Every structure is written in C-alpha cells, then in structure tokens.
Amino acid sequence: MTIIKTKLNRRSFLKSSVLAGGGMLIGFNWLAASCAADAPKGLTIPDEWFEINGYLKIGENGVVTIMSPNPEIGQNVKTSMPMIVAEELDVDWKNVIVEQAPLNTDIFNRQLAGGSDSIKQSWNALRLAGASACKMLKEAAAQKWNVPVDEITSELGVLYHKNSGKKVSYGEVASSAAQLPVPEEVELKDLKDFKIIRTSKKNVDGYKIVTGQPLFGLDYKKEGMLIAMLEHPTAFGMKLKSFDATEAKAMPGILDVFQIKTYNDDYKQQWCDTASFTDLVAIVGRSTWEVMNAKLMLTVEWEPFSDYEMAVAGWGGDQTVVVPSGLESSDGHNAKMAAAATKPGRKERRDGKPEEAFKNAAKVIERTYTAPFLAHSPMEPMNFVADVTTDNAVLIGPIQSPEYMEKTLSARLGLPLEKIDIQMTRMGGGFGRRLYGHFMVEAALISQKMNAPVKLIYSREDEMTFGIYRPAYHALYRAALDVDNNLIGFHVRMGGIPENALHANRFPAGAVDNYLADSWAIESNISVGAMRAPGSNFNAVAEQSFLDEVAEAAGKDPIQFRLDLLKRAQDNPVGEKNDYDAARYAGVLELVREKSGWGTDSAAKKRGVSAYFCHSSYVANVLDIEFDNGEPIIQTVYAAIDCGIVVNKDAAVNMTEGGIVDGIGQAMYGQLTFSDGQPDQNNFDSYRLIRHAEAPKSIEVHFVENEIHPTGLGEPPYPPVMAALANALYKATGTRYYHQPFIKNQFD
C-alpha cells in the first residue's frame, strides 16, 4: 500500500458532522427530489444518513451515497469519479447511490468540466476521500471493540476483527466515525488490489436517460417560474441602438420586455465571460410559446460599433483584447489568412538551421491546410434557471465552469460568494460551449428585475448565432528531404482568426534536427472559445495529413515513418521542451498497427492512419473506407489509446466512440460561414452534422495497459481520426484533402 498525507483539515474536508448531531443528513442539495430517485432497484433507503466527509455519507443500513463533484457533460464522470471513492472506501458498488454535488470549492478541489481534466486532477483527492472515510470507520470499529485499529480489515462495506471473529457493517459505526478527526495519513490501495477501478460500471443516470426522467436544465421546473428569451444583434459588429416593445408587450402571457446589460463597463472579464453581445433585449412571459411569439413582434434597431479594447483576466494572466469594428465575411477572412501566411510570423520555436536545410534539400514538400469556424451545436441549447432576491441568488442549470461563474455572478449582482448557490444539472452536450456562462448572468439579471424565478431559454437559432465558435484556421507546412529521403527540415506556420492552433513543442518537434515554428493571428469581432480539443482539433488534421504525404514522398510506410521519427525523439531528442513522451506515442502506433492488421489494403478497402498527443494522452487511429456508388462508406475505425489507468472501461469506450463519430462529422461536413457579419447557418437545416448512416459501421477501441495515473480522455479521441479519414480518402480517390469540410470539395 501507499501511505499518503491527507493535507486536509476538518474545516476544508468535512462540511460539518456536528451540525445535525452525529452528522445525520437527509440530502445534500435541493435539486434532487429524493435520494430514492437515485437508488438502484431493490435498494432500501436508510432512515438516517451519517456524513463521513464532503464526498460521501453512509446510512445506518450500510447504503453509501457518493457525491460526484464535477459537472456531468456526457463524459460519465458522475459514474467514474464515485467509482474511485468507492474503491478506496472498500464498499460494494451495488450499495452505492450517486448524487451530483453542488458547487462547493471549500470541499471539492476542482469543479470544472474542461480540458479533459476531471479524473486527472481529482484522482488523488477522490482516493483520499474514500481512504480517509475507510480509516475513520476502522477507527470507530476499533474503539467499539477496544482493539488496535491495525487489526481491523474491511471488505465490501463490512469491518472485521479476525482475532475475535467480530464484524460490523459500515452503517452500524457510521455515526461514530463521522465524529472522529480526519486522519493525518492514510494508506491507498496497491493498483493490483483494485476491485472497482478498471472494471465496467453502467452509467448511473442511464435508466433515467432512457426513460425520459428530468435530468437536464431544460427539464427543471420551479413553482412560480417565468420564461425568458433574448434578442441579440443580427450581425457581429453591431450593437443595440433602440427597440419598440409595444406590440410584443400586448401579446398574450407577456409580463415585461426590457434591456439588460450582461457586464458592467468597468468589469474586468474572466476567461469564462466571453460574450459577443452584452446589450440585449429580454422578453419575459408565462410560457415558452408565448415568449417566442412575442419575440417576433419586437421592433429593434441595431447600429455598428467602433473599435474597442477590453481587459480580460485569462489563464496566463491579464491581457488586452482588441475588438475591431466592421461586418466580416468568410471571403474576406480567407483572403486575409492567405495573405498572412506568405509573411514570417512570430517565432515560437527554432532548432538547428532550418533555412539552410531547406536551401540544401533534394526535395521540398509544401502544403496549405484550412478549416472554417465551427459551432458547438450541443443538442440542448443554452438555458439556466435563476432565482435572485435581495439576499441571495440560486441558479440551476447546465454549466461547465461553475466555480468561475460564481465569481462573475457575485461581482455583477453585488452579492458575496457565500450568497451564490449554483446547482448543476446534467448537460445535453457542451463540447466547451458551456464553459462560457454569460447565459447564467443574463438569467440572474432577468430574475432580479422580475423579482421571481426565471428560466432563460435560447432557441437553436439564438445559440448558433450568438458566437463563441471554434476559430477559423490556416496552416502552411513545409518538409525538406535529403537525397536519401531523410527528413532534414520541418517548418510549420500556423495562423487563424482570431487565434491560431499552433503547439510548437509537439511532434515532430524534437525528432528533426532543423525545425521552425511560427504563428500569426488576425483580429476579429466574432467571438471564439474552446471547442473539444482546442487547437488540436485542427493541428492534428493538418500535421498528420502532411506527415502522410511526406512519408509517401520519402517512399516509406506511414506508420514506420512516424515510428522512426519517434525513435529519434526518444533516443536522441532535439531540444528540451518537447511536450510528449516518445515511447508512449510510439506505443499507440504499434498497438494500432497490430490490432488493425495494417498492410491489408484491398481493391475495395482503403486505409488511413494518424496518431496524436493532447491533454496528456495518446491516440492512434486506422480508418477503413470503401466507396459505394460514389459515396464514402466508413467500415471500421481502430483506436489505440494510452490514457493511463482506465477507471471505467465502458465509459472510456463510449467516450472514444463519440469522439470518433464527432471528429468524422466535423471533418466531412462542419462549417460556419459569414456574410456581412451574419452567420449563414443558424439551424440544423443548414449547419450539417453527421447522420447515423454516415457513422462508422464498427469501432474497435484498445487501451494500453499500464500503471500511469489517469490522464485525459474526453478530448484526445476527437482530433486524430480526422487525419486518418483524410489519409484514407486519399488512398481511395487519389486526391489529397487540404481544406475542411472535405465533403464540399468532392461530393457536393
């Protein structure tokens, strides 16, 4: 076992066991109607609960409720995170109930769904929570029997004293355990002793999802709740000038129409406060249908705004963001990016003498790759419920960044943090869009004005035209080969609007003697934000497509070409800032080569390969494609993944499958274009998503077995499959795919 100091005190780790006499609690949050709703079928709900720590409570009959601290966005952390606690607690999973924890950063160290970090960042804390509770239960049993605690063992929620033959359930000593001090040190299990981690557990919300029970923000209802919607400018580059609500207010069920300002002018925005439009018109009524109809009757006048700057507190410190005026169009974007790519950018990394390598090269390959803006397009549009009074604010809904938005709400509403209560619902998708919680602030301001609980709802058109998109990207790649077809020089120039996707220290940096990476960006008034695997969702496509073309020019097998470069990076790396582990990178390539039976192309089946590192994990894909009457049919995608210890294999496979389908869809069909500041696509009739019949016929997922602590998985399976698709399409058609979406270039 591993002995580890808890570094916790009772105030930070425990809510309060004294509060209700021995720690008895009936519920953790007012969002859950009852614990019984979360109980597995046939499980008897206890009459009393005893809180052991902020992560769990134990009933007098041994039933355990474990709190899942992070927002659930479909990545299944509501199942996987409690599994980690249950493992160290040594409890029978069939006796576990899982609840969504409310926002409480005094107890939970990180409540954020983003960066594929939920499990990675909480791995130790979750294990400590379970192990600390287990030790406290053992202490309680030892005191009960007056024996040394070292003689107490645990298994499946029961404590044993082997010498005397005594045993007691967790529930029988939970009240006593809840009053004991938090242990200063605890023993964590050896990995070989895991009984829950590394197994497959079904989604704890699965039954509710398939039976349509209320889970999501749009499902939530509260007595006296009003409905609100917003009108925002029709084009980026415009702002509210005036509005006439006379006709709208006369519509049935409408209570008020008024202007709101999301952020005050002197407010320094956090990274999560991104919003293109902050002067909005709110329409409030009694039903969604009535509010939607009244919105159509508004008369609103917009006007262009002038250039402005704003201060933003970003991840890397304060920064000044320049927002230019004007009505932007995709044609103009493309022309600007093409021009910018012809000039040297800001140097991000330089190894050796790249200019000399290209000058002396026997062969130079140069290619340009582009990708358009993308909308996140989650199935559940933005929504939130707010109930704001003069004394406090309660907010309920789907949000990926609750701990950050709490600070924004406190500043905007003039309430201390302890008066802001955020309850998290399950999210109907997000992919990064719900990291930016302006809609929470909007809901709160409307509730404050109406002095009533309000549910703010975005229509699909509202959500898709409000902004916060994946940026548009452009990349120029160059490779230099010597007379023996060895790669002697590599250059990437990456740009975008309004930011670029360059990861200068990623492969093949470190594997090439002469390497240059430079970047540029073009300012825009179209707001952008993180989208599943930010930057990597373009960088992987361009880089891995280009490497395939370089391998072909060098006359080498594409997998072996990559492995040779990785061996160089492992044995004799160039530079000291390479942010990948070459051995783990090579490991997934070797695994996917084995599992896919690489080298078995046929006249009908063509194959593409790719491999990529992001969010501390490694993924390699082989994709098999055939054509039927000119239409591409994706037969099989093989995925080899190294993400450290896999907590819940079912969830990991599901997440991988979803990322692969999503990546194929975005590469084939995804694009958001603009004309005079207006998005040309505003709903699914014009913004193309992948359809069921277009998904791969089968997906095989294989994980590298190791003892490395878990790393990211929500995002890593998404980027590399796009390049595998591009490379397979080339093998099938003889045409290289440089510009996304691929379908526009070949199949319209």
Side-chain angles (χ1 to χ4, degrees), residues 354-415:
E355 296 83 4
E356 186 175 316
F358 279 96
K359 181 180 178 181
N360 297 329
K363 190 185 300 180
V364 173
I365 303 98
E366 180 175 316
R367 299 292 182 264
T368 296
Y369 300 84
T370 65
F373 286 92
L374 292 176
H376 295 77
S377 57
M379 288 296 100
E380 180 187 25
M382 303 304 106
N383 68 90
F384 231 84
V385 173
D387 190 2
V388 179
T389 67
T390 55
D391 298 322
N392 58 60
V394 179
L395 293 103
I396 311 100
I399 183 67
Q400 292 179 242
S401 54
E403 64 177 280
Y404 292 94
M405 290 310 303
E406 182 183 50
K407 299 179 179 67
T408 299
L409 287 160
S410 174
R412 185 64 181 90
L413 298 175
L415 292 171

Side-chain angles (χ1 to χ4, degrees), residues 346-527:
R346 184 178 67 184
K347 249 186 211 68
E348 306 290 354
R349 174 166 173 161
R350 188 177 187 276
D351 296 325
K353 300 177 180 179
E355 296 83 4
E356 186 175 316
F358 279 96
K359 181 180 178 181
N360 297 329
K363 190 185 300 180
V364 173
I365 303 98
E366 180 175 316
R367 299 292 182 264
T368 296
Y369 300 84
T370 65
F373 286 92
L374 292 176
H376 295 77
S377 57
M379 288 296 100
E380 180 187 25
M382 303 304 106
N383 68 90
F384 231 84
V385 173
D387 190 2
V388 179
T389 67
T390 55
D391 298 322
N392 58 60
V394 179
L395 293 103
I396 311 100
I399 183 67
Q400 292 179 242
S401 54
E403 64 177 280
Y404 292 94
M405 290 310 303
E406 182 183 50
K407 299 179 179 67
T408 299
L409 287 160
S410 174
R412 185 64 181 90
L413 298 175
L415 292 171
L417 286 175
E418 60 268 22
K419 297 296 184 180
I420 308 289
D421 181 14
I422 297 176
Q423 304 286 346
M424 293 169 277
T425 63
R426 191 178 184 92
M427 289 175 253
F431 313 108
R433 177 62 179 87
R434 287 188 163 92
L435 287 167
Y436 309 94
H438 56 88
F439 46 90
M440 294 179 68
V441 183
E442 294 156 4
L445 292 173
I446 297 168
S447 172
Q448 190 177 53
K449 169 78 172 177
M450 298 301 297
N451 194 29
V454 168
K455 179 191 284 186
L456 172 65
I457 300 174
Y458 275 44
S459 69
R460 174 62 58 198
E461 290 82 2
D462 293 336
E463 187 270 323
M464 201 170 281
T465 61
F466 192 89
I468 314 184
Y469 306 120
R470 198 283 300 269
Y473 291 128
H474 187 289
L476 172 69
Y477 278 85
R478 299 167 66 227
L481 301 178
D482 66 13
V483 292
D484 296 319
N485 285 325
N486 296 310
L487 181 61
I488 59 170
F490 195 91
H491 175 209
V492 53
R493 176 173 295 159
M494 189 82 68
I497 299 176
E499 60 187 42
N500 67 72
L502 181 65
H503 296 285
N505 297 318
R506 290 195 183 163
F507 183 74
V512 185
D513 287 325
N514 305 292
Y515 177 90
L516 176 63
D518 58 336
S519 68
W520 52 267
I522 297 171
E523 293 167 350
S524 173
N525 56 41
I526 298 172
S527 61

Side-chain angles (χ1 to χ4, degrees), residues 583-609:
R584 293 179 71 188
Y585 210 139
V588 293
L589 272 166
E590 290 166 344
L591 183 60
V592 83
R593 178 168 63 179
E594 172 198 340
K595 296 299 183 181
S596 68
W598 180 255
T600 58
D601 283 26
S602 66
K605 179 183 72 176
K606 300 300 178 183
R607 324 189 83 178
V609 67

